[in-house]
Structures are given as C-alpha cells and as structure tokens.
PDB file of all heavy atoms in Angstrom:
ATOM      1  N   ASP U   1      10.363  -0.590 -13.352  1.00  0.00           N
ATOM      2  CA  ASP U   1       9.435  -0.119 -14.376  1.00  0.00           C
ATOM      3  C   ASP U   1       9.158   1.379 -14.294  1.00  0.00           C
ATOM      4  O   ASP U   1       8.296   1.913 -14.985  1.00  0.00           O
ATOM      5  CB  ASP U   1       8.109  -0.871 -14.295  1.00  0.00           C
ATOM      6  CG  ASP U   1       8.244  -2.331 -14.717  1.00  0.00           C
ATOM      7  OD1 ASP U   1       9.261  -2.677 -15.332  1.00  0.00           O
ATOM      8  OD2 ASP U   1       7.335  -3.122 -14.398  1.00  0.00           O
ATOM      9  N   GLY U   2       9.899   2.082 -13.414  1.00  0.00           N
ATOM     10  CA  GLY U   2       9.676   3.513 -13.221  1.00  0.00           C
ATOM     11  C   GLY U   2       9.020   3.793 -11.876  1.00  0.00           C
ATOM     12  O   GLY U   2       8.594   2.880 -11.174  1.00  0.00           O
ATOM     13  N   ALA U   3       8.937   5.061 -11.521  1.00  0.00           N
ATOM     14  CA  ALA U   3       8.357   5.462 -10.227  1.00  0.00           C
ATOM     15  C   ALA U   3       6.849   5.228 -10.250  1.00  0.00           C
ATOM     16  O   ALA U   3       6.184   5.479 -11.268  1.00  0.00           O
ATOM     17  CB  ALA U   3       8.644   6.919  -9.945  1.00  0.00           C
ATOM     18  N   VAL U   4       6.304   4.729  -9.131  1.00  0.00           N
ATOM     19  CA  VAL U   4       4.884   4.498  -8.993  1.00  0.00           C
ATOM     20  C   VAL U   4       4.381   5.066  -7.687  1.00  0.00           C
ATOM     21  O   VAL U   4       5.142   5.183  -6.720  1.00  0.00           O
ATOM     22  CB  VAL U   4       4.537   2.995  -9.079  1.00  0.00           C
ATOM     23  CG1 VAL U   4       4.962   2.403 -10.410  1.00  0.00           C
ATOM     24  CG2 VAL U   4       5.175   2.231  -7.926  1.00  0.00           C
ATOM     25  N   THR U   5       3.100   5.407  -7.640  1.00  0.00           N
ATOM     26  CA  THR U   5       2.488   5.916  -6.426  1.00  0.00           C
ATOM     27  C   THR U   5       1.675   4.808  -5.786  1.00  0.00           C
ATOM     28  O   THR U   5       0.852   4.164  -6.438  1.00  0.00           O
ATOM     29  CB  THR U   5       1.563   7.117  -6.730  1.00  0.00           C
ATOM     30  OG1 THR U   5       2.342   8.139  -7.341  1.00  0.00           O
ATOM     31  CG2 THR U   5       0.945   7.662  -5.450  1.00  0.00           C
ATOM     32  N   VAL U   6       1.893   4.583  -4.466  1.00  0.00           N
ATOM     33  CA  VAL U   6       1.208   3.516  -3.741  1.00  0.00           C
ATOM     34  C   VAL U   6       0.668   4.087  -2.433  1.00  0.00           C
ATOM     35  O   VAL U   6       1.001   5.197  -2.037  1.00  0.00           O
ATOM     36  CB  VAL U   6       2.154   2.340  -3.470  1.00  0.00           C
ATOM     37  CG1 VAL U   6       2.750   1.784  -4.754  1.00  0.00           C
ATOM     38  CG2 VAL U   6       3.274   2.732  -2.503  1.00  0.00           C
ATOM     39  N   ASN U   7      -0.169   3.298  -1.774  1.00  0.00           N
ATOM     40  CA  ASN U   7      -0.692   3.693  -0.468  1.00  0.00           C
ATOM     41  C   ASN U   7       0.226   3.208   0.635  1.00  0.00           C
ATOM     42  O   ASN U   7       0.651   2.041   0.640  1.00  0.00           O
ATOM     43  CB  ASN U   7      -2.092   3.075  -0.256  1.00  0.00           C
ATOM     44  CG  ASN U   7      -3.116   3.654  -1.205  1.00  0.00           C
ATOM     45  OD1 ASN U   7      -3.378   4.848  -1.196  1.00  0.00           O
ATOM     46  ND2 ASN U   7      -3.695   2.798  -2.035  1.00  0.00           N
ATOM     47  N   ARG U   8       0.503   4.100   1.584  1.00  0.00           N
ATOM     48  CA  ARG U   8       1.319   3.762   2.750  1.00  0.00           C
ATOM     49  C   ARG U   8       0.447   3.867   4.000  1.00  0.00           C
ATOM     50  O   ARG U   8      -0.152   4.901   4.261  1.00  0.00           O
ATOM     51  CB  ARG U   8       2.524   4.699   2.867  1.00  0.00           C
ATOM     52  CG  ARG U   8       3.268   4.598   4.189  1.00  0.00           C
ATOM     53  CD  ARG U   8       4.501   5.491   4.201  1.00  0.00           C
ATOM     54  NE  ARG U   8       5.083   5.580   5.546  1.00  0.00           N
ATOM     55  CZ  ARG U   8       6.309   6.068   5.805  1.00  0.00           C
ATOM     56  NH1 ARG U   8       7.065   6.504   4.797  1.00  0.00           N
ATOM     57  NH2 ARG U   8       6.775   6.124   7.030  1.00  0.00           N
ATOM     58  N   TYR U   9       0.348   2.780   4.768  1.00  0.00           N
ATOM     59  CA  TYR U   9      -0.453   2.724   5.981  1.00  0.00           C
ATOM     60  C   TYR U   9       0.393   2.314   7.187  1.00  0.00           C
ATOM     61  O   TYR U   9       1.150   1.337   7.090  1.00  0.00           O
ATOM     62  CB  TYR U   9      -1.604   1.725   5.825  1.00  0.00           C
ATOM     63  CG  TYR U   9      -2.873   2.327   5.253  1.00  0.00           C
ATOM     64  CD1 TYR U   9      -2.913   2.791   3.950  1.00  0.00           C
ATOM     65  CD2 TYR U   9      -4.036   2.414   6.005  1.00  0.00           C
ATOM     66  CE1 TYR U   9      -4.074   3.335   3.431  1.00  0.00           C
ATOM     67  CE2 TYR U   9      -5.196   2.954   5.499  1.00  0.00           C
ATOM     68  CZ  TYR U   9      -5.206   3.427   4.208  1.00  0.00           C
ATOM     69  OH  TYR U   9      -6.365   3.963   3.690  1.00  0.00           O
ATOM     70  N   LEU U  10       0.233   3.025   8.271  1.00  0.00           N
ATOM     71  CA  LEU U  10       0.776   2.613   9.562  1.00  0.00           C
ATOM     72  C   LEU U  10      -0.360   1.969  10.338  1.00  0.00           C
ATOM     73  O   LEU U  10      -1.408   2.582  10.557  1.00  0.00           O
ATOM     74  CB  LEU U  10       1.337   3.816  10.338  1.00  0.00           C
ATOM     75  CG  LEU U  10       1.832   3.520  11.772  1.00  0.00           C
ATOM     76  CD1 LEU U  10       2.990   2.537  11.755  1.00  0.00           C
ATOM     77  CD2 LEU U  10       2.222   4.821  12.468  1.00  0.00           C
ATOM     78  N   LEU U  11      -0.149   0.691  10.747  1.00  0.00           N
ATOM     79  CA  LEU U  11      -1.225  -0.091  11.351  1.00  0.00           C
ATOM     80  C   LEU U  11      -0.847  -0.537  12.760  1.00  0.00           C
ATOM     81  O   LEU U  11       0.319  -0.686  13.100  1.00  0.00           O
ATOM     82  CB  LEU U  11      -1.495  -1.332  10.495  1.00  0.00           C
ATOM     83  CG  LEU U  11      -1.797  -1.111   9.017  1.00  0.00           C
ATOM     84  CD1 LEU U  11      -1.768  -2.417   8.258  1.00  0.00           C
ATOM     85  CD2 LEU U  11      -3.121  -0.404   8.849  1.00  0.00           C
ATOM     86  N   GLN U  12      -1.902  -0.762  13.566  1.00  0.00           N
ATOM     87  CA  GLN U  12      -1.695  -1.277  14.909  1.00  0.00           C
ATOM     88  C   GLN U  12      -2.776  -2.287  15.219  1.00  0.00           C
ATOM     89  O   GLN U  12      -3.952  -2.111  14.909  1.00  0.00           O
ATOM     90  CB  GLN U  12      -1.729  -0.149  15.943  1.00  0.00           C
ATOM     91  CG  GLN U  12      -1.473  -0.642  17.370  1.00  0.00           C
ATOM     92  CD  GLN U  12      -1.210   0.485  18.343  1.00  0.00           C
ATOM     93  OE1 GLN U  12      -1.119   1.648  17.960  1.00  0.00           O
ATOM     94  NE2 GLN U  12      -1.092   0.175  19.605  1.00  0.00           N
ATOM     95  N   ASN U  13      -2.344  -3.398  15.840  1.00  0.00           N
ATOM     96  CA  ASN U  13      -3.259  -4.423  16.322  1.00  0.00           C
ATOM     97  C   ASN U  13      -2.783  -4.829  17.709  1.00  0.00           C
ATOM     98  O   ASN U  13      -1.828  -5.589  17.837  1.00  0.00           O
ATOM     99  CB  ASN U  13      -3.233  -5.644  15.356  1.00  0.00           C
ATOM    100  CG  ASN U  13      -4.304  -6.663  15.709  1.00  0.00           C
ATOM    101  OD1 ASN U  13      -4.847  -6.664  16.807  1.00  0.00           O
ATOM    102  ND2 ASN U  13      -4.586  -7.552  14.763  1.00  0.00           N
ATOM    103  N   GLY U  14      -3.439  -4.304  18.711  1.00  0.00           N
ATOM    104  CA  GLY U  14      -2.986  -4.538  20.079  1.00  0.00           C
ATOM    105  C   GLY U  14      -1.611  -3.919  20.290  1.00  0.00           C
ATOM    106  O   GLY U  14      -1.422  -2.718  20.071  1.00  0.00           O
ATOM    107  N   ASP U  15      -0.648  -4.738  20.698  1.00  0.00           N
ATOM    108  CA  ASP U  15       0.717  -4.250  20.918  1.00  0.00           C
ATOM    109  C   ASP U  15       1.580  -4.305  19.673  1.00  0.00           C
ATOM    110  O   ASP U  15       2.750  -3.924  19.717  1.00  0.00           O
ATOM    111  CB  ASP U  15       1.402  -5.061  22.035  1.00  0.00           C
ATOM    112  CG  ASP U  15       0.725  -4.894  23.372  1.00  0.00           C
ATOM    113  OD1 ASP U  15       0.147  -3.798  23.610  1.00  0.00           O
ATOM    114  OD2 ASP U  15       0.761  -5.830  24.186  1.00  0.00           O
ATOM    115  N   HIS U  16       1.025  -4.765  18.568  1.00  0.00           N
ATOM    116  CA  HIS U  16       1.789  -4.949  17.350  1.00  0.00           C
ATOM    117  C   HIS U  16       1.538  -3.814  16.366  1.00  0.00           C
ATOM    118  O   HIS U  16       0.396  -3.375  16.181  1.00  0.00           O
ATOM    119  CB  HIS U  16       1.446  -6.287  16.689  1.00  0.00           C
ATOM    120  CG  HIS U  16       1.672  -7.470  17.588  1.00  0.00           C
ATOM    121  ND1 HIS U  16       2.913  -7.975  17.860  1.00  0.00           N
ATOM    122  CD2 HIS U  16       0.775  -8.253  18.265  1.00  0.00           C
ATOM    123  CE1 HIS U  16       2.818  -8.995  18.660  1.00  0.00           C
ATOM    124  NE2 HIS U  16       1.525  -9.196  18.916  1.00  0.00           N
ATOM    125  N   LYS U  17       2.601  -3.369  15.726  1.00  0.00           N
ATOM    126  CA  LYS U  17       2.496  -2.368  14.668  1.00  0.00           C
ATOM    127  C   LYS U  17       3.118  -2.897  13.377  1.00  0.00           C
ATOM    128  O   LYS U  17       4.000  -3.743  13.422  1.00  0.00           O
ATOM    129  CB  LYS U  17       3.213  -1.051  15.074  1.00  0.00           C
ATOM    130  CG  LYS U  17       2.477  -0.249  16.155  1.00  0.00           C
ATOM    131  CD  LYS U  17       3.193   1.076  16.385  1.00  0.00           C
ATOM    132  CE  LYS U  17       2.423   1.909  17.413  1.00  0.00           C
ATOM    133  NZ  LYS U  17       3.046   3.235  17.635  1.00  0.00           N
ATOM    134  N   ALA U  18       2.612  -2.390  12.273  1.00  0.00           N
ATOM    135  CA  ALA U  18       3.115  -2.844  10.983  1.00  0.00           C
ATOM    136  C   ALA U  18       2.985  -1.712   9.985  1.00  0.00           C
ATOM    137  O   ALA U  18       2.185  -0.790  10.143  1.00  0.00           O
ATOM    138  CB  ALA U  18       2.353  -4.073  10.502  1.00  0.00           C
ATOM    139  N   LEU U  19       3.779  -1.803   8.940  1.00  0.00           N
ATOM    140  CA  LEU U  19       3.762  -0.837   7.840  1.00  0.00           C
ATOM    141  C   LEU U  19       3.281  -1.573   6.588  1.00  0.00           C
ATOM    142  O   LEU U  19       3.811  -2.627   6.254  1.00  0.00           O
ATOM    143  CB  LEU U  19       5.157  -0.264   7.633  1.00  0.00           C
ATOM    144  CG  LEU U  19       5.406   0.943   6.711  1.00  0.00           C
ATOM    145  CD1 LEU U  19       5.283   0.579   5.233  1.00  0.00           C
ATOM    146  CD2 LEU U  19       4.501   2.090   7.063  1.00  0.00           C
ATOM    147  N   ALA U  20       2.260  -1.056   5.957  1.00  0.00           N
ATOM    148  CA  ALA U  20       1.706  -1.683   4.773  1.00  0.00           C
ATOM    149  C   ALA U  20       1.807  -0.753   3.555  1.00  0.00           C
ATOM    150  O   ALA U  20       1.597   0.446   3.678  1.00  0.00           O
ATOM    151  CB  ALA U  20       0.256  -2.074   4.985  1.00  0.00           C
ATOM    152  N   LEU U  21       2.148  -1.315   2.424  1.00  0.00           N
ATOM    153  CA  LEU U  21       2.048  -0.656   1.135  1.00  0.00           C
ATOM    154  C   LEU U  21       1.091  -1.462   0.291  1.00  0.00           C
ATOM    155  O   LEU U  21       1.164  -2.687   0.277  1.00  0.00           O
ATOM    156  CB  LEU U  21       3.407  -0.587   0.419  1.00  0.00           C
ATOM    157  CG  LEU U  21       4.554   0.192   1.076  1.00  0.00           C
ATOM    158  CD1 LEU U  21       5.776   0.146   0.170  1.00  0.00           C
ATOM    159  CD2 LEU U  21       4.162   1.624   1.369  1.00  0.00           C
ATOM    160  N   TYR U  22       0.173  -0.778  -0.414  1.00  0.00           N
ATOM    161  CA  TYR U  22      -0.685  -1.521  -1.329  1.00  0.00           C
ATOM    162  C   TYR U  22      -1.062  -0.655  -2.516  1.00  0.00           C
ATOM    163  O   TYR U  22      -1.070   0.567  -2.442  1.00  0.00           O
ATOM    164  CB  TYR U  22      -1.912  -2.091  -0.619  1.00  0.00           C
ATOM    165  CG  TYR U  22      -3.021  -1.128  -0.307  1.00  0.00           C
ATOM    166  CD1 TYR U  22      -4.046  -0.866  -1.252  1.00  0.00           C
ATOM    167  CD2 TYR U  22      -3.118  -0.500   0.928  1.00  0.00           C
ATOM    168  CE1 TYR U  22      -5.081   0.001  -0.954  1.00  0.00           C
ATOM    169  CE2 TYR U  22      -4.140   0.356   1.238  1.00  0.00           C
ATOM    170  CZ  TYR U  22      -5.117   0.606   0.293  1.00  0.00           C
ATOM    171  OH  TYR U  22      -6.144   1.474   0.596  1.00  0.00           O
ATOM    172  N   TRP U  23      -1.389  -1.333  -3.603  1.00  0.00           N
ATOM    173  CA  TRP U  23      -1.779  -0.651  -4.840  1.00  0.00           C
ATOM    174  C   TRP U  23      -2.559  -1.613  -5.719  1.00  0.00           C
ATOM    175  O   TRP U  23      -2.648  -2.813  -5.468  1.00  0.00           O
ATOM    176  CB  TRP U  23      -0.545  -0.142  -5.564  1.00  0.00           C
ATOM    177  CG  TRP U  23       0.396  -1.195  -6.054  1.00  0.00           C
ATOM    178  CD1 TRP U  23       0.407  -1.842  -7.283  1.00  0.00           C
ATOM    179  CD2 TRP U  23       1.492  -1.763  -5.317  1.00  0.00           C
ATOM    180  NE1 TRP U  23       1.418  -2.741  -7.356  1.00  0.00           N
ATOM    181  CE2 TRP U  23       2.106  -2.733  -6.166  1.00  0.00           C
ATOM    182  CE3 TRP U  23       2.015  -1.556  -4.042  1.00  0.00           C
ATOM    183  CZ2 TRP U  23       3.206  -3.483  -5.762  1.00  0.00           C
ATOM    184  CZ3 TRP U  23       3.112  -2.300  -3.630  1.00  0.00           C
ATOM    185  CH2 TRP U  23       3.689  -3.241  -4.486  1.00  0.00           C
ATOM    186  N   TYR U  24      -3.164  -1.054  -6.755  1.00  0.00           N
ATOM    187  CA  TYR U  24      -3.929  -1.833  -7.754  1.00  0.00           C
ATOM    188  C   TYR U  24      -3.140  -1.826  -9.064  1.00  0.00           C
ATOM    189  O   TYR U  24      -2.686  -0.781  -9.506  1.00  0.00           O
ATOM    190  CB  TYR U  24      -5.316  -1.205  -7.966  1.00  0.00           C
ATOM    191  CG  TYR U  24      -6.133  -1.148  -6.710  1.00  0.00           C
ATOM    192  CD1 TYR U  24      -5.973  -0.094  -5.793  1.00  0.00           C
ATOM    193  CD2 TYR U  24      -7.057  -2.133  -6.400  1.00  0.00           C
ATOM    194  CE1 TYR U  24      -6.718  -0.036  -4.618  1.00  0.00           C
ATOM    195  CE2 TYR U  24      -7.806  -2.086  -5.230  1.00  0.00           C
ATOM    196  CZ  TYR U  24      -7.643  -1.041  -4.349  1.00  0.00           C
ATOM    197  OH  TYR U  24      -8.368  -0.978  -3.195  1.00  0.00           O
ATOM    198  N   GLN U  25      -3.030  -3.008  -9.659  1.00  0.00           N
ATOM    199  CA  GLN U  25      -2.168  -3.129 -10.852  1.00  0.00           C
ATOM    200  C   GLN U  25      -2.898  -3.955 -11.903  1.00  0.00           C
ATOM    201  O   GLN U  25      -3.342  -5.085 -11.649  1.00  0.00           O
ATOM    202  CB  GLN U  25      -0.855  -3.794 -10.457  1.00  0.00           C
ATOM    203  CG  GLN U  25       0.194  -3.834 -11.563  1.00  0.00           C
ATOM    204  CD  GLN U  25       1.573  -4.206 -11.027  1.00  0.00           C
ATOM    205  OE1 GLN U  25       1.825  -4.168  -9.825  1.00  0.00           O
ATOM    206  NE2 GLN U  25       2.475  -4.533 -11.921  1.00  0.00           N
ATOM    207  N   GLY U  26      -3.020  -3.384 -13.098  1.00  0.00           N
ATOM    208  CA  GLY U  26      -3.659  -4.127 -14.176  1.00  0.00           C
ATOM    209  C   GLY U  26      -4.086  -3.226 -15.306  1.00  0.00           C
ATOM    210  O   GLY U  26      -4.216  -2.000 -15.150  1.00  0.00           O
ATOM    211  N   ARG U  27      -4.300  -3.821 -16.466  1.00  0.00           N
ATOM    212  CA  ARG U  27      -4.769  -3.104 -17.648  1.00  0.00           C
ATOM    213  C   ARG U  27      -3.863  -1.927 -17.985  1.00  0.00           C
ATOM    214  O   ARG U  27      -4.307  -0.870 -18.412  1.00  0.00           O
ATOM    215  CB  ARG U  27      -6.224  -2.646 -17.500  1.00  0.00           C
ATOM    216  CG  ARG U  27      -7.181  -3.755 -17.099  1.00  0.00           C
ATOM    217  CD  ARG U  27      -8.628  -3.347 -17.183  1.00  0.00           C
ATOM    218  NE  ARG U  27      -8.932  -2.126 -16.463  1.00  0.00           N
ATOM    219  CZ  ARG U  27      -9.144  -2.040 -15.156  1.00  0.00           C
ATOM    220  NH1 ARG U  27      -9.051  -3.136 -14.397  1.00  0.00           N
ATOM    221  NH2 ARG U  27      -9.430  -0.899 -14.562  1.00  0.00           N
ATOM    222  N   GLY U  28      -2.547  -2.138 -17.761  1.00  0.00           N
ATOM    223  CA  GLY U  28      -1.549  -1.122 -18.115  1.00  0.00           C
ATOM    224  C   GLY U  28      -1.371  -0.012 -17.119  1.00  0.00           C
ATOM    225  O   GLY U  28      -0.717   0.990 -17.417  1.00  0.00           O
ATOM    226  N   ARG U  29      -1.951  -0.148 -15.911  1.00  0.00           N
ATOM    227  CA  ARG U  29      -1.872   0.934 -14.912  1.00  0.00           C
ATOM    228  C   ARG U  29      -1.456   0.402 -13.567  1.00  0.00           C
ATOM    229  O   ARG U  29      -1.681  -0.760 -13.219  1.00  0.00           O
ATOM    230  CB  ARG U  29      -3.236   1.601 -14.738  1.00  0.00           C
ATOM    231  CG  ARG U  29      -3.873   2.164 -15.994  1.00  0.00           C
ATOM    232  CD  ARG U  29      -5.165   2.855 -15.626  1.00  0.00           C
ATOM    233  NE  ARG U  29      -5.909   3.294 -16.796  1.00  0.00           N
ATOM    234  CZ  ARG U  29      -6.831   2.573 -17.413  1.00  0.00           C
ATOM    235  NH1 ARG U  29      -7.144   1.352 -16.948  1.00  0.00           N
ATOM    236  NH2 ARG U  29      -7.475   3.014 -18.475  1.00  0.00           N
ATOM    237  N   ILE U  30      -0.857   1.299 -12.773  1.00  0.00           N
ATOM    238  CA  ILE U  30      -0.655   1.093 -11.339  1.00  0.00           C
ATOM    239  C   ILE U  30      -1.295   2.307 -10.673  1.00  0.00           C
ATOM    240  O   ILE U  30      -0.929   3.445 -10.969  1.00  0.00           O
ATOM    241  CB  ILE U  30       0.822   0.976 -10.972  1.00  0.00           C
ATOM    242  CG1 ILE U  30       1.396  -0.321 -11.593  1.00  0.00           C
ATOM    243  CG2 ILE U  30       1.006   0.988  -9.478  1.00  0.00           C
ATOM    244  CD1 ILE U  30       2.881  -0.484 -11.364  1.00  0.00           C
ATOM    245  N   GLU U  31      -2.256   2.040  -9.774  1.00  0.00           N
ATOM    246  CA  GLU U  31      -3.016   3.150  -9.196  1.00  0.00           C
ATOM    247  C   GLU U  31      -3.193   2.927  -7.696  1.00  0.00           C
ATOM    248  O   GLU U  31      -3.326   1.793  -7.224  1.00  0.00           O
ATOM    249  CB  GLU U  31      -4.388   3.232  -9.877  1.00  0.00           C
ATOM    250  CG  GLU U  31      -5.260   4.380  -9.410  1.00  0.00           C
ATOM    251  CD  GLU U  31      -4.605   5.749  -9.598  1.00  0.00           C
ATOM    252  OE1 GLU U  31      -4.331   6.128 -10.756  1.00  0.00           O
ATOM    253  OE2 GLU U  31      -4.344   6.383  -8.565  1.00  0.00           O
TER     254      GLU U  31
END
C-alpha cells in the first residue's frame, strides 16, 4: 500500500532480546 512510518523498538527481558515494530492503523491513516 506504499511506504509507511512505524515504531521500531529494541527490547530486553532478562537474557532475551527482541525487535518490535508497531503502529496505529485506522480511519484511512497509518501513524
């Protein structure tokens, strides 16, 4: 649907790490 801007987070929980992407989508927008 085209390029979008999202949040990128590097997370850690004890010995575990993860990469998260999140965004809000609705009413004709991605924010």
